[in-house]
Amino acid sequence: MCQVFAGQDPARYESITRRLRLNGQSTSIRLERAFWDILDDIAAGEGTTTPAFVSKLHSEVLEQRGEPENFTSLLRCACLIHMDARAAARSAHALAAE
């Protein structure tokens, strides 16, 4: 089982830094490529760019909870929520097709 994880392409977990604006402030966010790929997918699904999506998410978190202690961790967990929702939708679709 560990081979599935250990044998993955190192490019998936390469750290990538992207510069963007959050609430008008220029900043940089470092995430693994796999998470950026998911965020790109989420943003495309929302009909927006990744920087615009991340900035909107940051604004909504500020409104609901105040400044997040670790925004990159919040982004990773958002990716997990997105992937869980996609998996659930695929399962529901597969069950409906049976």
Side-chain angles (χ1 to χ4, degrees):
M1 176 169 111
C2 289
Q3 188 56 32
V4 171
F5 306 115
Q8 69 181 300
D9 181 357
R12 280 183 50 80
Y13 54 86
E14 173 187 13
S15 287
I16 305 292
T17 301
R18 293 193 188 177
R19 296 199 52 77
L20 50 100
R21 291 193 170 279
L22 296 180
N23 299 317
Q25 299 283 43
S26 181
T27 190
S28 60
I29 296 176
R30 179 181 292 244
L31 289 169
E32 296 77 8
R33 181 184 307 277
F35 289 110
W36 282 121
D37 290 346
I38 296 167
L39 289 171
D40 292 342
D41 184 54
I42 295 169
E46 295 288 320
T48 189
T49 65
T50 303
F53 171 75
V54 171
S55 184
K56 181 179 179 185
L57 177 59
H58 186 261
S59 293
E60 290 179 5
V61 170
L62 283 175
E63 286 178 23
Q64 291 184 23
R65 305 199 182 279
E67 186 66 46
E69 189 173 317
N70 188 335
F71 188 60
T72 54
S73 290
L74 184 143
L75 289 173
R76 287 183 187 96
C77 288
C79 290
L80 293 174
I81 290 168
H82 174 74
M83 297 305 291
D84 286 348
R86 273 184 29 182
R90 278 194 297 258
S91 291
H93 182 72
L95 287 174
E98 289 180 357

